[in-house]
Coordinates of all heavy atoms in Angstrom, one line a residue:
T671 N 37.1 78.8 145.8 CA 36.9 80.1 146.3 C 36.3 80.1 147.7 O 36.1 81.1 148.4 CB 35.9 81.0 145.4 OG1 34.7 80.3 145.3 CG2 36.6 81.2 144.1
A672 N 36.0 78.9 148.2 CA 35.4 78.7 149.6 C 36.5 78.9 150.7 O 37.7 78.8 150.4 CB 34.8 77.4 149.7
R673 N 36.1 79.1 151.9 CA 37.0 79.2 153.0 C 36.9 78.0 153.9 O 37.6 77.9 154.9 CB 36.7 80.4 153.9 CG 36.8 81.7 153.1 CD 38.1 82.2 152.8 NE 38.9 82.6 154.0 CZ 40.1 83.0 154.0 NH1 40.8 83.1 152.9 NH2 40.8 83.3 155.1
E674 N 36.1 77.0 153.6 CA 35.8 75.8 154.4 C 35.4 74.7 153.5 O 34.7 74.8 152.6 CB 34.7 76.2 155.4 CG 34.4 75.0 156.3 CD 33.3 75.4 157.3 OE1 33.5 76.5 158.0 OE2 32.3 74.8 157.4
V675 N 35.9 73.5 153.9 CA 35.4 72.2 153.3 C 35.1 71.2 154.3 O 35.6 71.3 155.4 CB 36.5 71.6 152.3 CG1 36.7 72.5 151.1 CG2 37.8 71.3 153.0
V676 N 34.2 70.4 154.0 CA 33.8 69.3 155.0 C 34.4 68.0 154.5 O 34.3 67.7 153.3 CB 32.2 69.2 155.1 CG1 31.8 68.0 156.0 CG2 31.6 70.5 155.6
I677 N 35.0 67.3 155.4 CA 35.6 66.0 155.1 C 34.9 65.0 155.9 O 34.8 65.0 157.2 CB 37.1 66.0 155.5 CG1 37.9 67.1 154.8 CG2 37.8 64.7 155.3 CD1 39.3 67.4 155.3
A678 N 34.4 64.0 155.2 CA 33.7 62.8 155.9 C 34.8 61.7 156.0 O 35.4 61.3 155.1 CB 32.5 62.3 155.1
H679 N 35.0 61.3 157.3 CA 36.0 60.2 157.6 C 35.5 59.3 158.6 O 35.2 59.7 159.7 CB 37.3 60.9 158.0 CG 38.4 59.9 158.4 ND1 39.0 59.2 157.5 CD2 38.9 59.6 159.6 CE1 39.9 58.4 158.1 NE2 39.8 58.6 159.4
E680 N 35.3 58.0 158.2 CA 34.9 57.0 159.1 C 33.6 57.4 159.9 O 33.5 57.2 161.1 CB 36.0 56.6 160.1 CG 37.2 55.9 159.3 CD 38.2 55.3 160.3 OE1 38.0 55.3 161.5 OE2 39.2 54.8 159.7
G681 N 32.6 57.9 159.2 CA 31.4 58.2 159.8 C 31.3 59.5 160.5 O 30.3 59.9 161.1
E682 N 32.4 60.3 160.6 CA 32.5 61.5 161.3 C 32.7 62.7 160.2 O 33.3 62.4 159.2 CB 33.7 61.6 162.2 CG 33.6 60.5 163.3 CD 32.6 60.8 164.4 OE1 32.2 62.0 164.5 OE2 32.2 59.9 165.1
E683 N 32.2 63.9 160.6 CA 32.4 65.0 159.7 C 33.5 65.9 160.4 O 33.4 66.2 161.6 CB 31.1 65.8 159.4 CG 30.3 65.1 158.4 CD 29.2 66.0 157.9 OE1 29.0 67.1 158.4 OE2 28.4 65.5 157.0
Y684 N 34.4 66.4 159.6 CA 35.4 67.3 160.0 C 35.4 68.5 159.1 O 35.1 68.4 157.9 CB 36.8 66.7 159.9 CG 37.0 65.5 160.8 CD1 36.6 64.2 160.4 CD2 37.6 65.6 162.0 CE1 36.7 63.1 161.2 CE2 37.7 64.5 162.9 CZ 37.3 63.3 162.4 OH 37.5 62.2 163.3
R685 N 35.6 69.7 159.6 CA 35.7 70.9 158.8 C 37.1 71.4 158.7 O 37.8 71.6 159.7 CB 34.8 72.0 159.4 CG 33.4 71.7 159.4 CD 32.5 72.8 160.1 NE 33.3 73.9 160.5 CZ 32.9 74.7 161.6 NH1 31.9 74.4 162.3 NH2 33.7 75.7 162.0
L686 N 37.6 71.6 157.5 CA 38.9 72.2 157.3 C 38.7 73.6 156.9 O 38.1 73.9 155.8 CB 39.7 71.4 156.2 CG 41.1 71.8 155.9 CD1 42.0 71.6 157.2 CD2 41.7 71.0 154.8
C687 N 39.2 74.5 157.7 CA 38.9 75.9 157.5 C 40.2 76.7 157.2 O 41.3 76.4 157.8 CB 38.2 76.5 158.7 SG 36.8 75.6 159.2
I688 N 40.1 77.8 156.4 CA 41.2 78.8 156.3 C 40.9 79.9 157.3 O 39.8 80.5 157.2 CB 41.3 79.3 154.9 CG1 41.5 78.1 153.9 CG2 42.4 80.3 154.7 CD1 41.5 78.5 152.4
T689 N 41.8 80.2 158.2 CA 41.6 81.2 159.2 C 41.8 82.6 158.6 O 42.3 82.8 157.4 CB 42.5 81.1 160.4 OG1 43.9 81.3 159.9 CG2 42.4 79.7 161.0
R690 N 41.5 83.7 159.3 CA 41.8 85.0 158.9 C 43.3 85.3 158.7 O 43.7 86.1 157.9 CB 41.3 86.0 160.0 CG 39.8 86.2 160.0 CD 39.4 87.2 161.1 NE 39.3 86.4 162.3 CZ 39.2 86.8 163.5 NH1 39.4 88.1 163.7 NH2 39.1 86.0 164.5
N691 N 44.1 84.5 159.3 CA 45.6 84.6 159.2 C 46.1 83.7 158.1 O 47.3 83.4 158.0 CB 46.3 84.3 160.5 CG 46.0 85.4 161.5 OD1 45.8 86.5 161.2 ND2 45.8 84.9 162.8
E692 N 45.2 83.1 157.3 CA 45.6 82.2 156.2 C 46.2 80.9 156.6 O 47.1 80.3 156.0 CB 46.5 82.9 155.1 CG 45.8 84.1 154.5 CD 44.5 83.8 153.8 OE1 44.4 82.8 153.1 OE2 43.5 84.6 154.0
K693 N 45.9 80.5 157.8 CA 46.3 79.2 158.4 C 45.2 78.2 158.2 O 44.0 78.6 158.0 CB 46.7 79.3 159.9 CG 47.7 80.3 160.2 CD 49.1 80.0 159.6 CE 50.1 81.1 160.0 NZ 51.3 80.9 159.4
L694 N 45.5 76.9 158.2 CA 44.5 75.8 158.1 C 44.2 75.3 159.5 O 45.1 75.1 160.3 CB 45.0 74.7 157.3 CG 45.2 75.0 155.8 CD1 45.7 73.8 155.1 CD2 43.9 75.5 155.1

Side-chain angles (χ1 to χ4, degrees):
T671 58
R673 302 284 294 176
E674 178 179 307
V675 294
V676 175
I677 301 168
H679 176 70
E680 295 189 2
E682 300 285 341
E683 282 193 358
Y684 298 83
R685 294 180 1 213
L686 183 62
C687 307
I688 301 173
T689 68
R690 284 179 273 163
N691 296 324
E692 300 302 316
K693 305 293 183 189
L694 294 176

